[in-house]
mmCIF file with all atom_site columns, all heavy atoms in Angstrom:
data_model
loop_
_atom_site.group_PDB
_atom_site.id
_atom_site.type_symbol
_atom_site.label_atom_id
_atom_site.label_alt_id
_atom_site.label_comp_id
_atom_site.label_asym_id
_atom_site.label_entity_id
_atom_site.label_seq_id
_atom_site.pdbx_PDB_ins_code
_atom_site.Cartn_x
_atom_site.Cartn_y
_atom_site.Cartn_z
_atom_site.occupancy
_atom_site.B_iso_or_equiv
_atom_site.pdbx_formal_charge
_atom_site.auth_seq_id
_atom_site.auth_comp_id
_atom_site.auth_asym_id
_atom_site.auth_atom_id
_atom_site.pdbx_PDB_model_num
ATOM 1   N N   . LEU A 1 1  ? 20.873 -86.013 -87.877  1.00 94.00 ? 188 LEU A N   1
ATOM 2   C CA  . LEU A 1 1  ? 19.894 -85.325 -88.577  1.00 94.00 ? 188 LEU A CA  1
ATOM 3   C C   . LEU A 1 1  ? 19.748 -85.793 -89.918  1.00 94.00 ? 188 LEU A C   1
ATOM 4   O O   . LEU A 1 1  ? 18.846 -85.166 -90.738  1.00 94.00 ? 188 LEU A O   1
ATOM 5   C CB  . LEU A 1 1  ? 20.122 -83.745 -88.498  1.00 94.00 ? 188 LEU A CB  1
ATOM 6   C CG  . LEU A 1 1  ? 20.222 -83.207 -87.100  1.00 94.00 ? 188 LEU A CG  1
ATOM 7   C CD1 . LEU A 1 1  ? 20.592 -81.811 -87.172  1.00 94.00 ? 188 LEU A CD1 1
ATOM 8   C CD2 . LEU A 1 1  ? 18.910 -83.438 -86.343  1.00 94.00 ? 188 LEU A CD2 1
ATOM 9   N N   . SER A 1 2  ? 20.466 -86.675 -90.508  1.00 92.00 ? 189 SER A N   1
ATOM 10  C CA  . SER A 1 2  ? 20.391 -87.092 -91.948  1.00 92.00 ? 189 SER A CA  1
ATOM 11  C C   . SER A 1 2  ? 19.012 -87.574 -92.298  1.00 92.00 ? 189 SER A C   1
ATOM 12  O O   . SER A 1 2  ? 18.383 -88.438 -91.593  1.00 92.00 ? 189 SER A O   1
ATOM 13  C CB  . SER A 1 2  ? 21.511 -88.108 -92.178  1.00 92.00 ? 189 SER A CB  1
ATOM 14  O OG  . SER A 1 2  ? 22.679 -87.584 -92.153  1.00 92.00 ? 189 SER A OG  1
ATOM 15  N N   . ALA A 1 3  ? 18.446 -87.162 -93.475  1.00 89.00 ? 190 ALA A N   1
ATOM 16  C CA  . ALA A 1 3  ? 17.288 -87.633 -93.926  1.00 89.00 ? 190 ALA A CA  1
ATOM 17  C C   . ALA A 1 3  ? 17.314 -88.688 -95.008  1.00 89.00 ? 190 ALA A C   1
ATOM 18  O O   . ALA A 1 3  ? 16.275 -89.370 -95.290  1.00 89.00 ? 190 ALA A O   1
ATOM 19  C CB  . ALA A 1 3  ? 16.396 -86.414 -94.490  1.00 89.00 ? 190 ALA A CB  1
ATOM 20  N N   . SER A 1 4  ? 18.492 -88.926 -95.466  1.00 91.00 ? 191 SER A N   1
ATOM 21  C CA  . SER A 1 4  ? 18.616 -89.974 -96.557  1.00 91.00 ? 191 SER A CA  1
ATOM 22  C C   . SER A 1 4  ? 19.937 -90.702 -96.206  1.00 91.00 ? 191 SER A C   1
ATOM 23  O O   . SER A 1 4  ? 20.847 -90.175 -95.631  1.00 91.00 ? 191 SER A O   1
ATOM 24  C CB  . SER A 1 4  ? 18.767 -89.212 -97.982  1.00 91.00 ? 191 SER A CB  1
ATOM 25  O OG  . SER A 1 4  ? 19.885 -88.528 -98.102  1.00 91.00 ? 191 SER A OG  1
ATOM 26  N N   . ILE A 1 5  ? 20.043 -91.863 -96.772  1.00 89.00 ? 192 ILE A N   1
ATOM 27  C CA  . ILE A 1 5  ? 21.190 -92.684 -96.533  1.00 89.00 ? 192 ILE A CA  1
ATOM 28  C C   . ILE A 1 5  ? 22.443 -92.061 -97.366  1.00 89.00 ? 192 ILE A C   1
ATOM 29  O O   . ILE A 1 5  ? 23.685 -92.115 -96.921  1.00 89.00 ? 192 ILE A O   1
ATOM 30  C CB  . ILE A 1 5  ? 20.975 -94.181 -97.030  1.00 89.00 ? 192 ILE A CB  1
ATOM 31  C CG1 . ILE A 1 5  ? 22.287 -95.042 -96.618  1.00 89.00 ? 192 ILE A CG1 1
ATOM 32  C CG2 . ILE A 1 5  ? 20.817 -94.247 -98.574  1.00 89.00 ? 192 ILE A CG2 1
ATOM 33  C CD1 . ILE A 1 5  ? 22.604 -95.052 -95.176  1.00 89.00 ? 192 ILE A CD1 1
ATOM 34  N N   . GLU A 1 6  ? 22.194 -91.365 -98.550  1.00 91.00 ? 193 GLU A N   1
ATOM 35  C CA  . GLU A 1 6  ? 23.215 -90.786 -99.256  1.00 91.00 ? 193 GLU A CA  1
ATOM 36  C C   . GLU A 1 6  ? 24.055 -89.661 -98.437  1.00 91.00 ? 193 GLU A C   1
ATOM 37  O O   . GLU A 1 6  ? 25.100 -89.499 -98.333  1.00 91.00 ? 193 GLU A O   1
ATOM 38  C CB  . GLU A 1 6  ? 22.750 -90.215 -100.559 1.00 91.00 ? 193 GLU A CB  1
ATOM 39  C CG  . GLU A 1 6  ? 22.347 -91.178 -101.576 1.00 91.00 ? 193 GLU A CG  1
ATOM 40  C CD  . GLU A 1 6  ? 20.955 -91.812 -101.325 1.00 91.00 ? 193 GLU A CD  1
ATOM 41  O OE1 . GLU A 1 6  ? 20.207 -91.259 -100.452 1.00 91.00 ? 193 GLU A OE1 1
ATOM 42  O OE2 . GLU A 1 6  ? 20.689 -92.875 -101.811 1.00 91.00 ? 193 GLU A OE2 1
ATOM 43  N N   . TRP A 1 7  ? 23.045 -88.804 -97.834  1.00 93.00 ? 194 TRP A N   1
ATOM 44  C CA  . TRP A 1 7  ? 23.545 -87.663 -97.051  1.00 93.00 ? 194 TRP A CA  1
ATOM 45  C C   . TRP A 1 7  ? 24.268 -88.277 -95.733  1.00 93.00 ? 194 TRP A C   1
ATOM 46  O O   . TRP A 1 7  ? 25.442 -87.778 -95.346  1.00 93.00 ? 194 TRP A O   1
ATOM 47  C CB  . TRP A 1 7  ? 22.483 -86.712 -96.550  1.00 93.00 ? 194 TRP A CB  1
ATOM 48  C CG  . TRP A 1 7  ? 23.002 -85.641 -95.668  1.00 93.00 ? 194 TRP A CG  1
ATOM 49  C CD1 . TRP A 1 7  ? 22.556 -85.499 -94.311  1.00 93.00 ? 194 TRP A CD1 1
ATOM 50  C CD2 . TRP A 1 7  ? 23.856 -84.536 -96.016  1.00 93.00 ? 194 TRP A CD2 1
ATOM 51  N NE1 . TRP A 1 7  ? 23.166 -84.335 -93.835  1.00 93.00 ? 194 TRP A NE1 1
ATOM 52  C CE2 . TRP A 1 7  ? 23.984 -83.784 -94.747  1.00 93.00 ? 194 TRP A CE2 1
ATOM 53  C CE3 . TRP A 1 7  ? 24.462 -84.211 -97.116  1.00 93.00 ? 194 TRP A CE3 1
ATOM 54  C CZ2 . TRP A 1 7  ? 24.661 -82.599 -94.773  1.00 93.00 ? 194 TRP A CZ2 1
ATOM 55  C CZ3 . TRP A 1 7  ? 25.185 -83.037 -97.234  1.00 93.00 ? 194 TRP A CZ3 1
ATOM 56  C CH2 . TRP A 1 7  ? 25.457 -82.242 -96.028  1.00 93.00 ? 194 TRP A CH2 1
ATOM 57  N N   . PHE A 1 8  ? 23.900 -89.297 -95.172  1.00 93.00 ? 195 PHE A N   1
ATOM 58  C CA  . PHE A 1 8  ? 24.301 -90.053 -93.955  1.00 93.00 ? 195 PHE A CA  1
ATOM 59  C C   . PHE A 1 8  ? 25.732 -90.415 -94.314  1.00 93.00 ? 195 PHE A C   1
ATOM 60  O O   . PHE A 1 8  ? 26.732 -90.263 -93.594  1.00 93.00 ? 195 PHE A O   1
ATOM 61  C CB  . PHE A 1 8  ? 23.648 -91.153 -93.433  1.00 93.00 ? 195 PHE A CB  1
ATOM 62  C CG  . PHE A 1 8  ? 24.098 -91.948 -92.415  1.00 93.00 ? 195 PHE A CG  1
ATOM 63  C CD1 . PHE A 1 8  ? 23.968 -91.447 -91.012  1.00 93.00 ? 195 PHE A CD1 1
ATOM 64  C CD2 . PHE A 1 8  ? 24.887 -93.073 -92.672  1.00 93.00 ? 195 PHE A CD2 1
ATOM 65  C CE1 . PHE A 1 8  ? 24.591 -92.172 -90.040  1.00 93.00 ? 195 PHE A CE1 1
ATOM 66  C CE2 . PHE A 1 8  ? 25.329 -93.917 -91.677  1.00 93.00 ? 195 PHE A CE2 1
ATOM 67  C CZ  . PHE A 1 8  ? 25.331 -93.409 -90.313  1.00 93.00 ? 195 PHE A CZ  1
ATOM 68  N N   . ASN A 1 9  ? 25.848 -91.039 -95.376  1.00 91.00 ? 196 ASN A N   1
ATOM 69  C CA  . ASN A 1 9  ? 27.265 -91.651 -95.842  1.00 91.00 ? 196 ASN A CA  1
ATOM 70  C C   . ASN A 1 9  ? 28.185 -90.597 -96.133  1.00 91.00 ? 196 ASN A C   1
ATOM 71  O O   . ASN A 1 9  ? 29.457 -90.663 -95.787  1.00 91.00 ? 196 ASN A O   1
ATOM 72  C CB  . ASN A 1 9  ? 27.126 -92.453 -97.171  1.00 91.00 ? 196 ASN A CB  1
ATOM 73  C CG  . ASN A 1 9  ? 26.360 -93.803 -96.772  1.00 91.00 ? 196 ASN A CG  1
ATOM 74  O OD1 . ASN A 1 9  ? 26.277 -94.309 -95.648  1.00 91.00 ? 196 ASN A OD1 1
ATOM 75  N ND2 . ASN A 1 9  ? 25.869 -94.534 -97.866  1.00 91.00 ? 196 ASN A ND2 1
ATOM 76  N N   . ILE A 1 10 ? 27.847 -89.376 -96.616  1.00 94.00 ? 197 ILE A N   1
ATOM 77  C CA  . ILE A 1 10 ? 28.652 -88.342 -96.858  1.00 94.00 ? 197 ILE A CA  1
ATOM 78  C C   . ILE A 1 10 ? 29.205 -87.722 -95.426  1.00 94.00 ? 197 ILE A C   1
ATOM 79  O O   . ILE A 1 10 ? 30.322 -87.516 -95.334  1.00 94.00 ? 197 ILE A O   1
ATOM 80  C CB  . ILE A 1 10 ? 28.094 -87.183 -97.655  1.00 94.00 ? 197 ILE A CB  1
ATOM 81  C CG1 . ILE A 1 10 ? 27.858 -87.687 -99.217  1.00 94.00 ? 197 ILE A CG1 1
ATOM 82  C CG2 . ILE A 1 10 ? 28.851 -85.850 -97.635  1.00 94.00 ? 197 ILE A CG2 1
ATOM 83  C CD1 . ILE A 1 10 ? 27.070 -86.642 -99.886  1.00 94.00 ? 197 ILE A CD1 1
ATOM 84  N N   . CYS A 1 11 ? 28.176 -87.638 -94.642  1.00 94.00 ? 198 CYS A N   1
ATOM 85  C CA  . CYS A 1 11 ? 28.522 -87.265 -93.203  1.00 94.00 ? 198 CYS A CA  1
ATOM 86  C C   . CYS A 1 11 ? 29.468 -88.111 -92.426  1.00 94.00 ? 198 CYS A C   1
ATOM 87  O O   . CYS A 1 11 ? 30.451 -87.720 -91.734  1.00 94.00 ? 198 CYS A O   1
ATOM 88  C CB  . CYS A 1 11 ? 27.304 -86.935 -92.379  1.00 94.00 ? 198 CYS A CB  1
ATOM 89  S SG  . CYS A 1 11 ? 26.307 -85.558 -93.076  1.00 94.00 ? 198 CYS A SG  1
ATOM 90  N N   . ARG A 1 12 ? 29.374 -89.421 -92.771  1.00 92.00 ? 199 ARG A N   1
ATOM 91  C CA  . ARG A 1 12 ? 30.176 -90.460 -92.174  1.00 92.00 ? 199 ARG A CA  1
ATOM 92  C C   . ARG A 1 12 ? 31.685 -90.295 -92.621  1.00 92.00 ? 199 ARG A C   1
ATOM 93  O O   . ARG A 1 12 ? 32.599 -90.508 -91.822  1.00 92.00 ? 199 ARG A O   1
ATOM 94  C CB  . ARG A 1 12 ? 29.808 -91.811 -92.519  1.00 92.00 ? 199 ARG A CB  1
ATOM 95  C CG  . ARG A 1 12 ? 28.587 -92.238 -91.617  1.00 92.00 ? 199 ARG A CG  1
ATOM 96  C CD  . ARG A 1 12 ? 28.988 -92.626 -90.260  1.00 92.00 ? 199 ARG A CD  1
ATOM 97  N NE  . ARG A 1 12 ? 29.714 -93.984 -90.327  1.00 92.00 ? 199 ARG A NE  1
ATOM 98  C CZ  . ARG A 1 12 ? 30.351 -94.411 -89.134  1.00 92.00 ? 199 ARG A CZ  1
ATOM 99  N NH1 . ARG A 1 12 ? 30.405 -93.543 -88.016  1.00 92.00 ? 199 ARG A NH1 1
ATOM 100 N NH2 . ARG A 1 12 ? 30.983 -95.521 -89.054  1.00 92.00 ? 199 ARG A NH2 1
ATOM 101 N N   . PHE A 1 13 ? 31.869 -89.841 -93.895  1.00 92.00 ? 200 PHE A N   1
ATOM 102 C CA  . PHE A 1 13 ? 33.241 -89.520 -94.262  1.00 92.00 ? 200 PHE A CA  1
ATOM 103 C C   . PHE A 1 13 ? 33.916 -88.547 -93.496  1.00 92.00 ? 200 PHE A C   1
ATOM 104 O O   . PHE A 1 13 ? 35.007 -88.683 -93.008  1.00 92.00 ? 200 PHE A O   1
ATOM 105 C CB  . PHE A 1 13 ? 33.244 -89.135 -95.909  1.00 92.00 ? 200 PHE A CB  1
ATOM 106 C CG  . PHE A 1 13 ? 34.548 -88.698 -96.302  1.00 92.00 ? 200 PHE A CG  1
ATOM 107 C CD1 . PHE A 1 13 ? 35.602 -89.529 -96.608  1.00 92.00 ? 200 PHE A CD1 1
ATOM 108 C CD2 . PHE A 1 13 ? 34.753 -87.395 -96.398  1.00 92.00 ? 200 PHE A CD2 1
ATOM 109 C CE1 . PHE A 1 13 ? 36.825 -89.133 -97.004  1.00 92.00 ? 200 PHE A CE1 1
ATOM 110 C CE2 . PHE A 1 13 ? 35.983 -86.716 -96.846  1.00 92.00 ? 200 PHE A CE2 1
ATOM 111 C CZ  . PHE A 1 13 ? 37.010 -87.653 -97.223  1.00 92.00 ? 200 PHE A CZ  1
ATOM 112 N N   . PHE A 1 14 ? 33.086 -87.324 -93.398  1.00 94.00 ? 201 PHE A N   1
ATOM 113 C CA  . PHE A 1 14 ? 33.690 -86.252 -92.633  1.00 94.00 ? 201 PHE A CA  1
ATOM 114 C C   . PHE A 1 14 ? 33.824 -86.632 -91.061  1.00 94.00 ? 201 PHE A C   1
ATOM 115 O O   . PHE A 1 14 ? 34.674 -86.156 -90.385  1.00 94.00 ? 201 PHE A O   1
ATOM 116 C CB  . PHE A 1 14 ? 32.845 -85.020 -92.851  1.00 94.00 ? 201 PHE A CB  1
ATOM 117 C CG  . PHE A 1 14 ? 32.936 -84.368 -93.999  1.00 94.00 ? 201 PHE A CG  1
ATOM 118 C CD1 . PHE A 1 14 ? 32.087 -84.629 -95.118  1.00 94.00 ? 201 PHE A CD1 1
ATOM 119 C CD2 . PHE A 1 14 ? 34.042 -83.669 -94.417  1.00 94.00 ? 201 PHE A CD2 1
ATOM 120 C CE1 . PHE A 1 14 ? 32.234 -84.043 -96.386  1.00 94.00 ? 201 PHE A CE1 1
ATOM 121 C CE2 . PHE A 1 14 ? 34.335 -83.073 -95.745  1.00 94.00 ? 201 PHE A CE2 1
ATOM 122 C CZ  . PHE A 1 14 ? 33.230 -83.239 -96.615  1.00 94.00 ? 201 PHE A CZ  1
ATOM 123 N N   . GLN A 1 15 ? 32.995 -87.539 -90.517  1.00 93.00 ? 202 GLN A N   1
ATOM 124 C CA  . GLN A 1 15 ? 33.124 -87.971 -89.122  1.00 93.00 ? 202 GLN A CA  1
ATOM 125 C C   . GLN A 1 15 ? 34.366 -88.678 -89.039  1.00 93.00 ? 202 GLN A C   1
ATOM 126 O O   . GLN A 1 15 ? 35.192 -88.630 -87.993  1.00 93.00 ? 202 GLN A O   1
ATOM 127 C CB  . GLN A 1 15 ? 31.886 -88.819 -88.820  1.00 93.00 ? 202 GLN A CB  1
ATOM 128 C CG  . GLN A 1 15 ? 31.762 -89.018 -87.382  1.00 93.00 ? 202 GLN A CG  1
ATOM 129 C CD  . GLN A 1 15 ? 30.640 -90.028 -87.021  1.00 93.00 ? 202 GLN A CD  1
ATOM 130 O OE1 . GLN A 1 15 ? 30.303 -90.911 -87.727  1.00 93.00 ? 202 GLN A OE1 1
ATOM 131 N NE2 . GLN A 1 15 ? 30.045 -89.708 -85.800  1.00 93.00 ? 202 GLN A NE2 1
ATOM 132 N N   . GLY A 1 16 ? 34.717 -89.661 -90.024  1.00 89.00 ? 203 GLY A N   1
ATOM 133 C CA  . GLY A 1 16 ? 35.910 -90.347 -90.028  1.00 89.00 ? 203 GLY A CA  1
ATOM 134 C C   . GLY A 1 16 ? 37.076 -89.485 -90.110  1.00 89.00 ? 203 GLY A C   1
ATOM 135 O O   . GLY A 1 16 ? 38.094 -89.734 -89.485  1.00 89.00 ? 203 GLY A O   1
ATOM 136 N N   . LEU A 1 17 ? 37.025 -88.569 -91.096  1.00 92.00 ? 204 LEU A N   1
ATOM 137 C CA  . LEU A 1 17 ? 38.097 -87.583 -91.298  1.00 92.00 ? 204 LEU A CA  1
ATOM 138 C C   . LEU A 1 17 ? 38.534 -86.803 -90.112  1.00 92.00 ? 204 LEU A C   1
ATOM 139 O O   . LEU A 1 17 ? 39.608 -86.759 -89.729  1.00 92.00 ? 204 LEU A O   1
ATOM 140 C CB  . LEU A 1 17 ? 37.679 -86.537 -92.359  1.00 92.00 ? 204 LEU A CB  1
ATOM 141 C CG  . LEU A 1 17 ? 38.667 -85.600 -92.867  1.00 92.00 ? 204 LEU A CG  1
ATOM 142 C CD1 . LEU A 1 17 ? 39.626 -86.299 -93.859  1.00 92.00 ? 204 LEU A CD1 1
ATOM 143 C CD2 . LEU A 1 17 ? 38.043 -84.374 -93.554  1.00 92.00 ? 204 LEU A CD2 1
ATOM 144 N N   . ALA A 1 18 ? 37.400 -86.398 -89.289  1.00 91.00 ? 205 ALA A N   1
ATOM 145 C CA  . ALA A 1 18 ? 37.716 -85.791 -87.980  1.00 91.00 ? 205 ALA A CA  1
ATOM 146 C C   . ALA A 1 18 ? 38.338 -86.639 -86.970  1.00 91.00 ? 205 ALA A C   1
ATOM 147 O O   . ALA A 1 18 ? 39.149 -86.305 -86.214  1.00 91.00 ? 205 ALA A O   1
ATOM 148 C CB  . ALA A 1 18 ? 36.383 -85.065 -87.525  1.00 91.00 ? 205 ALA A CB  1
ATOM 149 N N   . GLY A 1 19 ? 37.656 -87.868 -86.905  1.00 87.00 ? 206 GLY A N   1
ATOM 150 C CA  . GLY A 1 19 ? 38.173 -88.887 -85.936  1.00 87.00 ? 206 GLY A CA  1
ATOM 151 C C   . GLY A 1 19 ? 39.631 -89.260 -86.094  1.00 87.00 ? 206 GLY A C   1
ATOM 152 O O   . GLY A 1 19 ? 40.227 -89.676 -85.147  1.00 87.00 ? 206 GLY A O   1
ATOM 153 N N   . ALA A 1 20 ? 40.197 -89.011 -87.307  1.00 87.00 ? 207 ALA A N   1
ATOM 154 C CA  . ALA A 1 20 ? 41.538 -89.450 -87.590  1.00 87.00 ? 207 ALA A CA  1
ATOM 155 C C   . ALA A 1 20 ? 42.442 -88.683 -86.834  1.00 87.00 ? 207 ALA A C   1
ATOM 156 O O   . ALA A 1 20 ? 43.645 -89.018 -86.559  1.00 87.00 ? 207 ALA A O   1
ATOM 157 C CB  . ALA A 1 20 ? 41.757 -89.226 -89.099  1.00 87.00 ? 207 ALA A CB  1
ATOM 158 N N   . GLY A 1 21 ? 42.003 -87.420 -86.425  1.00 85.00 ? 208 GLY A N   1
ATOM 159 C CA  . GLY A 1 21 ? 42.971 -86.612 -85.539  1.00 85.00 ? 208 GLY A CA  1
ATOM 160 C C   . GLY A 1 21 ? 43.313 -87.317 -84.325  1.00 85.00 ? 208 GLY A C   1
ATOM 161 O O   . GLY A 1 21 ? 44.461 -87.146 -83.772  1.00 85.00 ? 208 GLY A O   1
ATOM 162 N N   . GLY A 1 22 ? 42.417 -87.998 -83.795  1.00 80.00 ? 209 GLY A N   1
ATOM 163 C CA  . GLY A 1 22 ? 42.680 -88.820 -82.536  1.00 80.00 ? 209 GLY A CA  1
ATOM 164 C C   . GLY A 1 22 ? 43.667 -89.781 -82.728  1.00 80.00 ? 209 GLY A C   1
ATOM 165 O O   . GLY A 1 22 ? 44.729 -89.923 -81.766  1.00 80.00 ? 209 GLY A O   1
ATOM 166 N N   . VAL A 1 23 ? 43.740 -90.614 -83.790  1.00 79.00 ? 210 VAL A N   1
ATOM 167 C CA  . VAL A 1 23 ? 44.752 -91.571 -84.126  1.00 79.00 ? 210 VAL A CA  1
ATOM 168 C C   . VAL A 1 23 ? 46.153 -90.976 -84.312  1.00 79.00 ? 210 VAL A C   1
ATOM 169 O O   . VAL A 1 23 ? 47.041 -91.474 -83.682  1.00 79.00 ? 210 VAL A O   1
ATOM 170 C CB  . VAL A 1 23 ? 44.344 -92.458 -85.351  1.00 79.00 ? 210 VAL A CB  1
ATOM 171 C CG1 . VAL A 1 23 ? 45.380 -93.596 -85.602  1.00 79.00 ? 210 VAL A CG1 1
ATOM 172 C CG2 . VAL A 1 23 ? 42.908 -93.055 -85.140  1.00 79.00 ? 210 VAL A CG2 1
ATOM 173 N N   . VAL A 1 24 ? 46.128 -90.115 -85.175  1.00 84.00 ? 211 VAL A N   1
ATOM 174 C CA  . VAL A 1 24 ? 47.525 -89.606 -85.469  1.00 84.00 ? 211 VAL A CA  1
ATOM 175 C C   . VAL A 1 24 ? 48.184 -88.821 -84.523  1.00 84.00 ? 211 VAL A C   1
ATOM 176 O O   . VAL A 1 24 ? 49.278 -88.770 -84.192  1.00 84.00 ? 211 VAL A O   1
ATOM 177 C CB  . VAL A 1 24 ? 47.375 -88.785 -86.851  1.00 84.00 ? 211 VAL A CB  1
ATOM 178 C CG1 . VAL A 1 24 ? 46.578 -87.566 -86.751  1.00 84.00 ? 211 VAL A CG1 1
ATOM 179 C CG2 . VAL A 1 24 ? 48.736 -88.595 -87.536  1.00 84.00 ? 211 VAL A CG2 1
ATOM 180 N N   . LEU A 1 25 ? 47.372 -87.978 -83.769  1.00 84.00 ? 212 LEU A N   1
ATOM 181 C CA  . LEU A 1 25 ? 47.853 -86.971 -82.849  1.00 84.00 ? 212 LEU A CA  1
ATOM 182 C C   . LEU A 1 25 ? 48.204 -87.778 -81.466  1.00 84.00 ? 212 LEU A C   1
ATOM 183 O O   . LEU A 1 25 ? 49.096 -87.219 -80.779  1.00 84.00 ? 212 LEU A O   1
ATOM 184 C CB  . LEU A 1 25 ? 47.000 -85.825 -82.527  1.00 84.00 ? 212 LEU A CB  1
ATOM 185 C CG  . LEU A 1 25 ? 46.937 -84.954 -83.883  1.00 84.00 ? 212 LEU A CG  1
ATOM 186 C CD1 . LEU A 1 25 ? 45.878 -83.913 -83.674  1.00 84.00 ? 212 LEU A CD1 1
ATOM 187 C CD2 . LEU A 1 25 ? 48.187 -84.224 -84.066  1.00 84.00 ? 212 LEU A CD2 1
#
């Protein structure tokens, strides 16, 4: 739903943060 690249990049950080659970766990 991102309307700008800046917002998209912020959301990508949190997407990676959440995805890290899969690697570590």
Side-chain angles (χ1 to χ4, degrees):
L188 299 176
S189 295
S191 68
I192 188 59
E193 291 79 15
W194 177 248
F195 174 83
N196 289 341
I197 292 172
C198 294
R199 280 288 283 170
F200 169 79
F201 286 101
Q202 193 185 35
L204 189 77
V210 180
V211 69
L212 291 170

